[in-house]
Amino acid sequence: MFLPIFLGGVVAVITYLIWWNPRYERLAVEFAPNPVPPEYRLEQAMWAAPLFAVSFFWFGWTSYPSINYWAPMMAGALIGFSTIWIFLALFNYIIDAYLFVAASALAANTVVRSLFGAGFPLFASQMFDSLNPRWASTLLGFVSIALAPIPFVLRKYGPHLRRKSKYAPTHPAHAAAPKKADEAV
C-alpha cells in the first residue's frame, strides 16, 4: 500500500515539470525585470490542499475488507500526489519570500517538519489501532481541512506579511510606490 504513495509522488513531480515550471517561466518573462511575487507559487498548493484532505477521507472509508483494494490504493496515490504538490509549492514560496535568508528559512522549516515526522510515529500505530483505519484517517482528513486554508490565506495576505518582516525582502515594484517629486506638481 506504500507503492501508490510513491507513484503519486512521481506523477506529481512530472506534472510539476510539465505544467507548473513552464508556467512560472512565463510569469518570470511577464514580470521582468521585477521578480515574480512569491504568492504565485502558492497556486499549486491551493489545488493540492483540498485534494490532500479528500484523499484521507477516501483512504479511510474505502479500507473495509469488503471493498476492493484498488480504492484505497488510488487514495494513497492521491495522498502522494497532493503531498508533493504542497511540498513543492511551499518550499518554492519560502525560497522566493525569503530570498537572502532562504537557507535559514528552509532549515527552520526542515526542523519543524522533522519534529512532526519524528513525533507522529510515536502515536500513529496506537491511533490507527484504537480508532480503526476509517476514523484515524477521518481525523487526519479533518486536520487537513483545518490546514487547507493556509495557502489561500498566504496568497491573500502574503504581501502584507512580507512587508512587516525584517527578513523577507519586498521588491519596490510590489510595494506601494512613492510619488515622485515631479508628479506631485
Side-chain angles (χ1 to χ4, degrees):
M1 289 308 275
F2 289 110
L3 186 59
I5 296 172
F6 169 75
L7 294 175
V10 168
V11 170
V13 169
I14 291 169
T15 57
Y16 175 82
L17 294 172
I18 291 172
W19 173 258
W20 293 103
N21 201 45
R23 189 170 184 275
Y24 188 79
E25 289 171 358
R26 286 190 300 275
L27 286 170
V29 170
E30 181 182 321
F31 279 91
N34 300 321
V36 179
E39 286 71 28
Y40 280 83
R41 296 285 197 171
L42 295 171
E43 291 178 30
Q44 189 177 2
M46 292 165 64
W47 282 98
L51 293 175
F52 188 66
V54 165
S55 64
F56 273 107
F57 290 108
W58 180 7
F59 179 80
W61 292 99
T62 58
S63 63
Y64 288 101
S66 60
I67 296 176
N68 191 309
Y69 61 87
W70 281 100
M73 283 176 61
M74 293 299 101
L78 188 59
I79 288 171
F81 181 88
S82 56
T83 299
I84 296 298
W85 267 23
I86 291 168
F87 178 81
L88 289 173
L90 296 179
F91 192 82
N92 286 324
Y93 176 76
I94 290 170
I95 291 169
D96 289 353
Y98 291 102
L99 288 176
F100 305 111
V101 292
S104 298
L106 290 174
N109 176 274
T110 300
V111 167
V112 171
R113 195 167 23 95
S114 296
L115 289 172
F116 277 95
F120 194 76
L122 299 175
F123 65 86
S125 295
Q126 294 88 342
M127 181 176 78
F128 274 84
D129 287 340
S130 62
L131 293 177
N132 76 43
R134 286 155 294 289
W135 288 107
S137 295
T138 299
L139 177 62
L140 294 174
F142 282 124
V143 170
S144 300
I145 287 173
L147 298 176
I150 290 173
F152 296 92
V153 171
L154 286 174
R155 173 73 183 223
K156 182 169 181 156
Y157 298 107
H160 177 71
L161 294 172
R162 283 186 292 113
R163 278 193 294 276
K164 290 182 167 218
S165 172
K166 63 182 180 180
Y167 299 110
T170 302
H171 194 277
H174 302 149
K179 284 192 165 190
K180 294 180 182 176
D182 47 314
E183 288 179 5
V185 178

PDB file of all heavy atoms in Angstrom, residues 5 15 19 34 57 61 63 70 73 77 80 86-87 89 97 99 110 112 123-124 129 152 160 166-168 181 185:
ATOM      1  N   ILE A   5       1.592   5.603  -2.995  1.00  0.00           N
ATOM      2  CA  ILE A   5       2.009   6.918  -2.492  1.00  0.00           C
ATOM      3  C   ILE A   5       3.237   7.379  -3.272  1.00  0.00           C
ATOM      4  O   ILE A   5       3.317   8.532  -3.717  1.00  0.00           O
ATOM      5  CB  ILE A   5       2.271   6.868  -0.978  1.00  0.00           C
ATOM      6  CG1 ILE A   5       0.980   6.541  -0.239  1.00  0.00           C
ATOM      7  CG2 ILE A   5       2.875   8.178  -0.482  1.00  0.00           C
ATOM      8  CD1 ILE A   5       1.153   6.286   1.250  1.00  0.00           C
ATOM      9  N   THR A  15       4.155  16.231 -13.390  1.00  0.00           N
ATOM     10  CA  THR A  15       3.222  17.317 -13.716  1.00  0.00           C
ATOM     11  C   THR A  15       3.801  18.677 -13.324  1.00  0.00           C
ATOM     12  O   THR A  15       3.534  19.676 -14.001  1.00  0.00           O
ATOM     13  CB  THR A  15       1.850  17.120 -13.048  1.00  0.00           C
ATOM     14  OG1 THR A  15       2.007  17.018 -11.645  1.00  0.00           O
ATOM     15  CG2 THR A  15       1.143  15.902 -13.605  1.00  0.00           C
ATOM     16  N   TRP A  19       3.859  21.210 -16.265  1.00  0.00           N
ATOM     17  CA  TRP A  19       2.856  22.263 -16.187  1.00  0.00           C
ATOM     18  C   TRP A  19       3.314  23.480 -15.392  1.00  0.00           C
ATOM     19  O   TRP A  19       3.315  24.601 -15.891  1.00  0.00           O
ATOM     20  CB  TRP A  19       1.556  21.700 -15.601  1.00  0.00           C
ATOM     21  CG  TRP A  19       0.534  22.741 -15.345  1.00  0.00           C
ATOM     22  CD1 TRP A  19       0.204  23.309 -14.143  1.00  0.00           C
ATOM     23  CD2 TRP A  19      -0.303  23.390 -16.299  1.00  0.00           C
ATOM     24  NE1 TRP A  19      -0.772  24.253 -14.291  1.00  0.00           N
ATOM     25  CE2 TRP A  19      -1.108  24.321 -15.630  1.00  0.00           C
ATOM     26  CE3 TRP A  19      -0.438  23.291 -17.674  1.00  0.00           C
ATOM     27  CZ2 TRP A  19      -2.035  25.132 -16.265  1.00  0.00           C
ATOM     28  CZ3 TRP A  19      -1.372  24.101 -18.300  1.00  0.00           C
ATOM     29  CH2 TRP A  19      -2.149  24.997 -17.594  1.00  0.00           C
ATOM     30  N   ASN A  34      11.228  42.834 -12.856  1.00  0.00           N
ATOM     31  CA  ASN A  34      10.968  42.558 -11.445  1.00  0.00           C
ATOM     32  C   ASN A  34      10.778  41.059 -11.235  1.00  0.00           C
ATOM     33  O   ASN A  34      10.371  40.356 -12.153  1.00  0.00           O
ATOM     34  CB  ASN A  34       9.710  43.292 -10.981  1.00  0.00           C
ATOM     35  CG  ASN A  34       9.837  44.782 -11.141  1.00  0.00           C
ATOM     36  OD1 ASN A  34      10.889  45.354 -10.902  1.00  0.00           O
ATOM     37  ND2 ASN A  34       8.763  45.426 -11.576  1.00  0.00           N
ATOM     38  N   PHE A  57     -10.030  11.083   3.561  1.00  0.00           N
ATOM     39  CA  PHE A  57     -11.383  10.540   3.732  1.00  0.00           C
ATOM     40  C   PHE A  57     -11.597   9.350   2.797  1.00  0.00           C
ATOM     41  O   PHE A  57     -12.160   8.334   3.197  1.00  0.00           O
ATOM     42  CB  PHE A  57     -12.430  11.630   3.467  1.00  0.00           C
ATOM     43  CG  PHE A  57     -12.465  12.687   4.526  1.00  0.00           C
ATOM     44  CD1 PHE A  57     -11.982  13.957   4.268  1.00  0.00           C
ATOM     45  CD2 PHE A  57     -12.978  12.420   5.782  1.00  0.00           C
ATOM     46  CE1 PHE A  57     -12.014  14.939   5.238  1.00  0.00           C
ATOM     47  CE2 PHE A  57     -13.012  13.390   6.770  1.00  0.00           C
ATOM     48  CZ  PHE A  57     -12.525  14.654   6.490  1.00  0.00           C
ATOM     49  N   TRP A  61     -12.363   5.583   4.310  1.00  0.00           N
ATOM     50  CA  TRP A  61     -13.677   4.987   4.149  1.00  0.00           C
ATOM     51  C   TRP A  61     -13.751   3.966   3.014  1.00  0.00           C
ATOM     52  O   TRP A  61     -14.823   3.425   2.728  1.00  0.00           O
ATOM     53  CB  TRP A  61     -14.730   6.078   4.031  1.00  0.00           C
ATOM     54  CG  TRP A  61     -14.816   6.748   5.368  1.00  0.00           C
ATOM     55  CD1 TRP A  61     -14.223   7.920   5.741  1.00  0.00           C
ATOM     56  CD2 TRP A  61     -15.434   6.230   6.535  1.00  0.00           C
ATOM     57  NE1 TRP A  61     -14.458   8.166   7.072  1.00  0.00           N
ATOM     58  CE2 TRP A  61     -15.201   7.134   7.589  1.00  0.00           C
ATOM     59  CE3 TRP A  61     -16.170   5.065   6.822  1.00  0.00           C
ATOM     60  CZ2 TRP A  61     -15.677   6.936   8.880  1.00  0.00           C
ATOM     61  CZ3 TRP A  61     -16.644   4.881   8.097  1.00  0.00           C
ATOM     62  CH2 TRP A  61     -16.390   5.807   9.115  1.00  0.00           C
ATOM     63  N   SER A  63     -11.369   1.473   3.306  1.00  0.00           N
ATOM     64  CA  SER A  63     -10.469   0.478   3.894  1.00  0.00           C
ATOM     65  C   SER A  63     -11.204  -0.724   4.483  1.00  0.00           C
ATOM     66  O   SER A  63     -10.622  -1.493   5.241  1.00  0.00           O
ATOM     67  CB  SER A  63      -9.598   1.131   4.977  1.00  0.00           C
ATOM     68  OG  SER A  63     -10.400   1.605   6.034  1.00  0.00           O
ATOM     69  N   TRP A  70      -8.097  -1.737  -4.673  1.00  0.00           N
ATOM     70  CA  TRP A  70      -7.720  -0.671  -5.597  1.00  0.00           C
ATOM     71  C   TRP A  70      -8.223   0.692  -5.128  1.00  0.00           C
ATOM     72  O   TRP A  70      -7.608   1.721  -5.421  1.00  0.00           O
ATOM     73  CB  TRP A  70      -8.233  -0.965  -7.006  1.00  0.00           C
ATOM     74  CG  TRP A  70      -7.374  -1.949  -7.710  1.00  0.00           C
ATOM     75  CD1 TRP A  70      -7.612  -3.286  -7.861  1.00  0.00           C
ATOM     76  CD2 TRP A  70      -6.112  -1.691  -8.336  1.00  0.00           C
ATOM     77  NE1 TRP A  70      -6.583  -3.887  -8.539  1.00  0.00           N
ATOM     78  CE2 TRP A  70      -5.646  -2.919  -8.850  1.00  0.00           C
ATOM     79  CE3 TRP A  70      -5.329  -0.559  -8.513  1.00  0.00           C
ATOM     80  CZ2 TRP A  70      -4.450  -3.036  -9.530  1.00  0.00           C
ATOM     81  CZ3 TRP A  70      -4.137  -0.684  -9.197  1.00  0.00           C
ATOM     82  CH2 TRP A  70      -3.706  -1.902  -9.691  1.00  0.00           C
ATOM     83  N   MET A  73      -5.834   2.093  -2.624  1.00  0.00           N
ATOM     84  CA  MET A  73      -4.564   2.313  -3.325  1.00  0.00           C
ATOM     85  C   MET A  73      -4.612   3.608  -4.142  1.00  0.00           C
ATOM     86  O   MET A  73      -3.642   4.373  -4.156  1.00  0.00           O
ATOM     87  CB  MET A  73      -4.250   1.128  -4.246  1.00  0.00           C
ATOM     88  CG  MET A  73      -3.727  -0.082  -3.502  1.00  0.00           C
ATOM     89  SD  MET A  73      -3.454  -1.507  -4.565  1.00  0.00           S
ATOM     90  CE  MET A  73      -2.226  -0.904  -5.692  1.00  0.00           C
ATOM     91  N   ALA A  77      -2.387   7.033  -3.830  1.00  0.00           N
ATOM     92  CA  ALA A  77      -1.723   7.748  -4.927  1.00  0.00           C
ATOM     93  C   ALA A  77      -2.049   9.235  -4.861  1.00  0.00           C
ATOM     94  O   ALA A  77      -1.177  10.080  -5.069  1.00  0.00           O
ATOM     95  CB  ALA A  77      -2.141   7.160  -6.265  1.00  0.00           C
ATOM     96  N   GLY A  80       0.013  10.820  -2.087  1.00  0.00           N
ATOM     97  CA  GLY A  80       1.378  11.089  -2.540  1.00  0.00           C
ATOM     98  C   GLY A  80       1.450  12.256  -3.500  1.00  0.00           C
ATOM     99  O   GLY A  80       2.333  13.114  -3.390  1.00  0.00           O
ATOM    100  N   ILE A  86       2.005  20.127  -2.520  1.00  0.00           N
ATOM    101  CA  ILE A  86       2.030  21.062  -1.385  1.00  0.00           C
ATOM    102  C   ILE A  86       3.467  21.357  -0.984  1.00  0.00           C
ATOM    103  O   ILE A  86       3.849  22.511  -0.770  1.00  0.00           O
ATOM    104  CB  ILE A  86       1.226  20.498  -0.196  1.00  0.00           C
ATOM    105  CG1 ILE A  86      -0.265  20.474  -0.525  1.00  0.00           C
ATOM    106  CG2 ILE A  86       1.480  21.315   1.072  1.00  0.00           C
ATOM    107  CD1 ILE A  86      -1.102  19.681   0.456  1.00  0.00           C
ATOM    108  N   PHE A  87       4.279  20.315  -0.899  1.00  0.00           N
ATOM    109  CA  PHE A  87       5.677  20.491  -0.500  1.00  0.00           C
ATOM    110  C   PHE A  87       6.410  21.401  -1.480  1.00  0.00           C
ATOM    111  O   PHE A  87       7.094  22.351  -1.068  1.00  0.00           O
ATOM    112  CB  PHE A  87       6.374  19.139  -0.398  1.00  0.00           C
ATOM    113  CG  PHE A  87       7.824  19.246  -0.031  1.00  0.00           C
ATOM    114  CD1 PHE A  87       8.209  19.413   1.281  1.00  0.00           C
ATOM    115  CD2 PHE A  87       8.812  19.207  -1.007  1.00  0.00           C
ATOM    116  CE1 PHE A  87       9.539  19.536   1.629  1.00  0.00           C
ATOM    117  CE2 PHE A  87      10.143  19.327  -0.674  1.00  0.00           C
ATOM    118  CZ  PHE A  87      10.513  19.496   0.649  1.00  0.00           C
ATOM    119  N   ALA A  89       5.220  23.583  -3.649  1.00  0.00           N
ATOM    120  CA  ALA A  89       4.680  24.949  -3.650  1.00  0.00           C
ATOM    121  C   ALA A  89       5.187  25.737  -2.449  1.00  0.00           C
ATOM    122  O   ALA A  89       5.668  26.867  -2.595  1.00  0.00           O
ATOM    123  CB  ALA A  89       3.155  24.907  -3.651  1.00  0.00           C
ATOM    124  N   ALA A  97      10.091  34.075  -0.979  1.00  0.00           N
ATOM    125  CA  ALA A  97       9.723  35.086   0.016  1.00  0.00           C
ATOM    126  C   ALA A  97      10.910  35.537   0.860  1.00  0.00           C
ATOM    127  O   ALA A  97      10.965  36.689   1.284  1.00  0.00           O
ATOM    128  CB  ALA A  97       8.621  34.550   0.925  1.00  0.00           C
ATOM    129  N   LEU A  99      14.319  35.264   0.003  1.00  0.00           N
ATOM    130  CA  LEU A  99      15.497  35.304  -0.859  1.00  0.00           C
ATOM    131  C   LEU A  99      16.857  35.167  -0.178  1.00  0.00           C
ATOM    132  O   LEU A  99      17.489  34.131  -0.279  1.00  0.00           O
ATOM    133  CB  LEU A  99      15.480  36.606  -1.669  1.00  0.00           C
ATOM    134  CG  LEU A  99      14.445  36.671  -2.761  1.00  0.00           C
ATOM    135  CD1 LEU A  99      14.461  38.042  -3.413  1.00  0.00           C
ATOM    136  CD2 LEU A  99      14.689  35.611  -3.790  1.00  0.00           C
ATOM    137  N   THR A 110      12.660  22.705   7.838  1.00  0.00           N
ATOM    138  CA  THR A 110      13.076  21.304   7.916  1.00  0.00           C
ATOM    139  C   THR A 110      13.066  20.808   9.352  1.00  0.00           C
ATOM    140  O   THR A 110      12.648  19.671   9.623  1.00  0.00           O
ATOM    141  CB  THR A 110      14.471  21.126   7.287  1.00  0.00           C
ATOM    142  OG1 THR A 110      14.401  21.533   5.918  1.00  0.00           O
ATOM    143  CG2 THR A 110      14.937  19.690   7.368  1.00  0.00           C
ATOM    144  N   VAL A 112      11.161  21.901  11.884  1.00  0.00           N
ATOM    145  CA  VAL A 112       9.769  21.725  12.320  1.00  0.00           C
ATOM    146  C   VAL A 112       9.153  20.496  11.664  1.00  0.00           C
ATOM    147  O   VAL A 112       8.486  19.686  12.322  1.00  0.00           O
ATOM    148  CB  VAL A 112       8.951  23.000  12.025  1.00  0.00           C
ATOM    149  CG1 VAL A 112       7.469  22.774  12.271  1.00  0.00           C
ATOM    150  CG2 VAL A 112       9.460  24.158  12.869  1.00  0.00           C
ATOM    151  N   PHE A 123       2.743   7.904  18.027  1.00  0.00           N
ATOM    152  CA  PHE A 123       1.345   7.658  18.375  1.00  0.00           C
ATOM    153  C   PHE A 123       0.498   7.152  17.206  1.00  0.00           C
ATOM    154  O   PHE A 123      -0.652   6.788  17.397  1.00  0.00           O
ATOM    155  CB  PHE A 123       0.704   8.928  18.957  1.00  0.00           C
ATOM    156  CG  PHE A 123       0.603  10.067  17.982  1.00  0.00           C
ATOM    157  CD1 PHE A 123      -0.474  10.178  17.125  1.00  0.00           C
ATOM    158  CD2 PHE A 123       1.593  11.037  17.939  1.00  0.00           C
ATOM    159  CE1 PHE A 123      -0.560  11.223  16.225  1.00  0.00           C
ATOM    160  CE2 PHE A 123       1.509  12.090  17.048  1.00  0.00           C
ATOM    161  CZ  PHE A 123       0.424  12.179  16.192  1.00  0.00           C
ATOM    162  N   ALA A 124       1.046   7.096  16.004  1.00  0.00           N
ATOM    163  CA  ALA A 124       0.252   6.727  14.823  1.00  0.00           C
ATOM    164  C   ALA A 124      -0.281   5.298  14.910  1.00  0.00           C
ATOM    165  O   ALA A 124      -1.458   5.050  14.622  1.00  0.00           O
ATOM    166  CB  ALA A 124       1.066   6.913  13.552  1.00  0.00           C
ATOM    167  N   ASP A 129      -4.828   1.725  15.630  1.00  0.00           N
ATOM    168  CA  ASP A 129      -5.339   0.539  16.314  1.00  0.00           C
ATOM    169  C   ASP A 129      -6.586   0.861  17.130  1.00  0.00           C
ATOM    170  O   ASP A 129      -7.556   0.109  17.115  1.00  0.00           O
ATOM    171  CB  ASP A 129      -4.266  -0.064  17.224  1.00  0.00           C
ATOM    172  CG  ASP A 129      -3.168  -0.762  16.441  1.00  0.00           C
ATOM    173  OD1 ASP A 129      -3.398  -1.112  15.252  1.00  0.00           O
ATOM    174  OD2 ASP A 129      -2.068  -0.941  17.009  1.00  0.00           O
ATOM    175  N   PHE A 152      -4.319  29.709   0.791  1.00  0.00           N
ATOM    176  CA  PHE A 152      -5.249  30.755   0.390  1.00  0.00           C
ATOM    177  C   PHE A 152      -5.021  32.030   1.206  1.00  0.00           C
ATOM    178  O   PHE A 152      -5.049  33.134   0.664  1.00  0.00           O
ATOM    179  CB  PHE A 152      -6.695  30.274   0.546  1.00  0.00           C
ATOM    180  CG  PHE A 152      -7.038  29.118  -0.348  1.00  0.00           C
ATOM    181  CD1 PHE A 152      -6.893  27.807   0.092  1.00  0.00           C
ATOM    182  CD2 PHE A 152      -7.502  29.331  -1.636  1.00  0.00           C
ATOM    183  CE1 PHE A 152      -7.204  26.743  -0.728  1.00  0.00           C
ATOM    184  CE2 PHE A 152      -7.818  28.266  -2.472  1.00  0.00           C
ATOM    185  CZ  PHE A 152      -7.659  26.972  -2.015  1.00  0.00           C
ATOM    186  N   HIS A 160       1.360  41.643   2.496  1.00  0.00           N
ATOM    187  CA  HIS A 160       1.272  42.449   3.726  1.00  0.00           C
ATOM    188  C   HIS A 160       2.185  41.870   4.813  1.00  0.00           C
ATOM    189  O   HIS A 160       2.895  42.617   5.495  1.00  0.00           O
ATOM    190  CB  HIS A 160      -0.181  42.499   4.206  1.00  0.00           C
ATOM    191  CG  HIS A 160      -0.365  43.232   5.488  1.00  0.00           C
ATOM    192  ND1 HIS A 160      -0.239  44.604   5.579  1.00  0.00           N
ATOM    193  CD2 HIS A 160      -0.646  42.788   6.734  1.00  0.00           C
ATOM    194  CE1 HIS A 160      -0.434  44.960   6.840  1.00  0.00           C
ATOM    195  NE2 HIS A 160      -0.691  43.878   7.548  1.00  0.00           N
ATOM    196  N   LYS A 166      11.267  41.692   8.761  1.00  0.00           N
ATOM    197  CA  LYS A 166      12.583  42.286   8.503  1.00  0.00           C
ATOM    198  C   LYS A 166      13.473  41.317   7.733  1.00  0.00           C
ATOM    199  O   LYS A 166      14.555  41.682   7.292  1.00  0.00           O
ATOM    200  CB  LYS A 166      13.250  42.714   9.807  1.00  0.00           C
ATOM    201  CG  LYS A 166      13.566  41.603  10.774  1.00  0.00           C
ATOM    202  CD  LYS A 166      14.187  42.172  12.042  1.00  0.00           C
ATOM    203  CE  LYS A 166      14.513  41.066  13.008  1.00  0.00           C
ATOM    204  NZ  LYS A 166      15.107  41.568  14.233  1.00  0.00           N
ATOM    205  N   TYR A 167      13.030  40.079   7.538  1.00  0.00           N
ATOM    206  CA  TYR A 167      13.820  39.076   6.822  1.00  0.00           C
ATOM    207  C   TYR A 167      13.328  38.808   5.410  1.00  0.00           C
ATOM    208  O   TYR A 167      14.028  38.204   4.614  1.00  0.00           O
ATOM    209  CB  TYR A 167      13.837  37.761   7.598  1.00  0.00           C
ATOM    210  CG  TYR A 167      14.460  37.903   8.956  1.00  0.00           C
ATOM    211  CD1 TYR A 167      13.685  37.821  10.094  1.00  0.00           C
ATOM    212  CD2 TYR A 167      15.816  38.135   9.093  1.00  0.00           C
ATOM    213  CE1 TYR A 167      14.258  37.963  11.348  1.00  0.00           C
ATOM    214  CE2 TYR A 167      16.399  38.282  10.333  1.00  0.00           C
ATOM    215  CZ  TYR A 167      15.607  38.200  11.460  1.00  0.00           C
ATOM    216  OH  TYR A 167      16.183  38.349  12.677  1.00  0.00           O
ATOM    217  N   ALA A 168      12.118  39.200   5.096  1.00  0.00           N
ATOM    218  CA  ALA A 168      11.552  38.943   3.772  1.00  0.00           C
ATOM    219  C   ALA A 168      11.627  40.218   2.948  1.00  0.00           C
ATOM    220  O   ALA A 168      10.857  41.144   3.167  1.00  0.00           O
ATOM    221  CB  ALA A 168      10.109  38.473   3.895  1.00  0.00           C
ATOM    222  N   ALA A 181       8.699  63.519  -7.037  1.00  0.00           N
ATOM    223  CA  ALA A 181       8.535  64.951  -6.799  1.00  0.00           C
ATOM    224  C   ALA A 181       7.925  65.660  -7.986  1.00  0.00           C
ATOM    225  O   ALA A 181       7.072  66.538  -7.827  1.00  0.00           O
ATOM    226  CB  ALA A 181       9.881  65.571  -6.440  1.00  0.00           C
ATOM    227  N   VAL A 185       3.424  67.870  -8.746  1.00  0.00           N
ATOM    228  CA  VAL A 185       3.099  69.220  -9.210  1.00  0.00           C
ATOM    229  C   VAL A 185       1.845  69.248 -10.012  1.00  0.00           C
ATOM    230  O   VAL A 185       1.235  68.560 -10.558  1.00  0.00           O
ATOM    231  CB  VAL A 185       4.257  69.817 -10.049  1.00  0.00           C
ATOM    232  CG1 VAL A 185       3.889  71.190 -10.564  1.00  0.00           C
ATOM    233  CG2 VAL A 185       5.496  69.843  -9.231  1.00  0.00           C
TER     234      VAL A 185
END
